[in-house]
Amino acid sequence: MTANKLEDRYCRRLNYLRISVTDRCNLRCIYCVPRDALPRLAHSDILRYEEILRIVRVGVSLGIDKIRITGGEPLVRKGLMAFLQRLQAIEGIREVNLTTPAVLMGPLLDRLRATGIRRLNISLDTLRRERFARLTGQDCFEQVWDNIRQACEMGFAPLKINVVAMQGINDDEFTDIAALTRKRPFQIRFIEYMPLGNPNLHHDPFISNADIRRRIASLGKLERVERGVDDGPAERFRLAGAVGEIGFISPRTHHFCRDCNRLRLTARGHLRPCLLSDRELDIKKLLRGAADDQALAEMFIRAAQSKPSRHQLNGIGGKSVCAQMNAIGG
Ligand code: SAM
């Protein structure tokens, strides 16, 4: 086992790297990317797979052992399956998972399973076809739903479903969404909306997870699920007798920063110490400038050292972050 050398100034050990492999996405979720002129990174600005693998190997030598592939929509990038296979083969990596809006996932599930990936995070904010089309710009709810069912039948697990909670937009569906867990092994995750440089929403649709819990109280008592060592920031619960779980991720009303174990590698090749702070370190420039692995490792350590103690999105009216999620990866 690799000694963990990525410890920040607040004694948090960082073992988790989230990698955005592309800023491109086939959806235009209202809270995530602009509807009209989407600024796209040039091909040459995006890290090549070979470059990502090298950065990962350096990270692993410092104690990274868990990876999430995200985007944009990772499945739109050519050659992803071969890349995932190579990633999984890196000695020292314990877990690789993938975040996707799941539109393109169906025909790729066999190949995805062959890469060894079992853990999926799927973004789905509504169960209504017309609303899905309005929120994402694509009329393909049924396709997404079929793909989720297929992934479930094929044994992908855990199957997490990320629901960005938005007042006046999908708050009338929280009960229906949470009730899915009674019969299906989904791990629903309600995520408090974060104000992240999104140009389509002209008001802040924030609703707290405490409010969501009140809204779904009619479903019955929520029993707390014990936290595992490797758990993310979600508080986890289960309805009595349910096969799935309901979780709450509360970046605005709770500070879970104390347990943060992550760094992010953005599509443009920057190490980002904190999702909710715009500070980034340009590891691509270093790498393309023929730096050796030692220099890359030093940049990882600098990124770890520059993690803030906590983010600044404190409640409604908190500080806004300029960068867009599709380039950072959620
Ligand atoms: N595009 C892929 C997808 O939709 O699954 C992966 C990237 S997306 C940026 C990752 C996650 O971030 C999604 O589950 C999305 O719902 C969440 N997200 C994006 N913008 C957000 C915001 N402003 N507040 C809260 N969550 C957000």
Side-chain angles (χ1 to χ4, degrees):
M1 192 196 247
T2 317
N4 194 312
K5 300 179 190 122
L6 284 178
E7 189 170 276
D8 71 8
R9 290 175 297 154
Y10 308 97
C11 302
R12 292 174 298 201
R13 292 177 60 195
L14 314 180
N15 70 320
Y16 185 9
L17 184 64
R18 288 194 176 184
I19 303 172
S20 172
V21 292
T22 178
D23 62 332
R24 316 246 157 134
C25 193
N26 51 337
L27 299 188
R28 294 280 175 276
C29 296
I30 46 161
Y31 50 79
C32 193
V33 286
R35 276 286 156 90
D36 31 28
L38 174 63
R40 283 177 154 191
L41 294 175
H43 206 62
S44 57
D45 284 338
I46 293 180
L47 283 175
R48 295 189 289 272
Y49 286 136
E50 206 53 61
E51 293 173 323
I52 299 176
L53 290 167
R54 181 164 167 218
I55 292 171
V56 169
R57 282 189 207 100
V58 171
V60 167
S61 75
L62 296 168
I64 295 289
D65 61 4
K66 181 174 170 184
I67 306 272
R68 176 183 295 189
I69 299 302
T70 175
E73 160 55 305
L75 299 178
V76 299
R77 184 156 173 187
K78 279 199 196 121
L80 186 80
M81 298 299 152
F83 164 72
L84 292 175
Q85 204 117 38
R86 293 177 70 193
L87 189 65
Q88 294 266 16
I90 293 177
E91 201 177 331
I93 291 188
R94 202 167 41 84
E95 181 183 315
V96 179
N97 55 42
L98 179 82
T99 299
T100 171
V103 180
L104 307 171
M105 190 174 74
L108 295 170
L109 281 169
D110 277 329
R111 290 177 65 202
L112 197 56
R113 190 164 60 175
T115 69
I117 286 200
R118 294 290 175 274
R119 309 171 74 95
L120 296 176
N121 279 47
I122 293 169
S123 313
L124 183 67
D125 305 317
T126 176
L127 302 175
R128 298 184 191 169
R129 180 184 155 190
E130 278 164 28
R131 184 174 284 175
F132 183 97
R134 242 181 306 123
L135 293 182
T136 67
Q138 292 274 347
D139 184 3
C140 52
F141 169 77
E142 272 125 21
Q143 192 176 331
V144 169
W145 189 247
D146 277 354
N147 290 343
I148 294 175
R149 284 209 330 244
Q150 205 184 326
C152 205
E153 280 160 19
M154 286 173 68
F156 284 88
L159 230 159
K160 295 186 184 169
I161 299 195
N162 289 352
V163 182
V164 179
M166 293 169 285
Q167 181 97 48
I169 296 179
N170 61 354
D171 57 329
D172 52 347
E173 291 192 67
F174 296 157
T175 308
D176 292 345
I177 294 172
L180 290 173
T181 63
R182 285 203 167 118
K183 299 229 164 68
R184 300 174 200 267
F186 298 157
Q187 299 199 359
I188 301 290
R189 295 285 184 258
F190 289 106
I191 306 176
E192 285 177 352
Y193 166 81
M194 296 177 279
L196 279 161
N198 24 51
N200 308 304
L201 289 168
H202 302 298
H203 73 292
D204 183 343
F206 169 73
I207 173 167
S208 73
N209 272 328
D211 270 338
I212 299 173
R213 285 188 64 174
R214 279 191 281 279
R215 302 269 185 105
I216 64 173
S218 60
L219 292 174
K221 190 168 179 287
L222 288 178
E223 295 160 0
R224 192 173 278 278
V225 175
E226 275 310 305
R227 283 181 65 78
V229 268
D230 221 14
D231 272 4
E235 278 192 284
R236 300 165 53 190
F237 299 89
R238 196 187 288 280
L239 292 165
V243 286
E245 281 183 18
I246 301 168
F248 300 94
I249 300 182
S250 315
R252 290 182 68 175
T253 55
H254 281 90
H255 266 290
F256 43 64
C257 305
R258 201 184 44 210
D259 300 320
C260 185
N261 60 350
R262 312 171 176 173
L263 288 174
R264 288 179 165 80
L265 180 62
T266 67
R268 62 160 58 85
H270 293 186
L271 281 174
R272 186 170 175 109
C274 170
L275 172 65
L276 298 172
S277 151
D278 284 325
R279 181 177 160 72
E280 293 182 354
L281 289 83
D282 190 348
I283 197 163
K284 180 181 70 198
K285 190 167 169 201
L286 200 64
L287 185 132
R288 292 190 181 169
D292 62 10
D293 284 356
Q294 181 59 32
L296 300 181
E298 280 162 17
M299 185 165 272
F300 257 101
I301 290 167
R302 276 212 305 287
Q305 292 298 313
S306 54
K307 258 180 100 65
S309 64
R310 52 190 287 177
H311 71 68
Q312 297 301 316
L313 293 180
N314 288 325
I316 299 170
K319 192 175 156 202
S320 171
V321 175
C322 299
Q324 282 168 219
M325 284 287 257
N326 62 308
I328 312 170

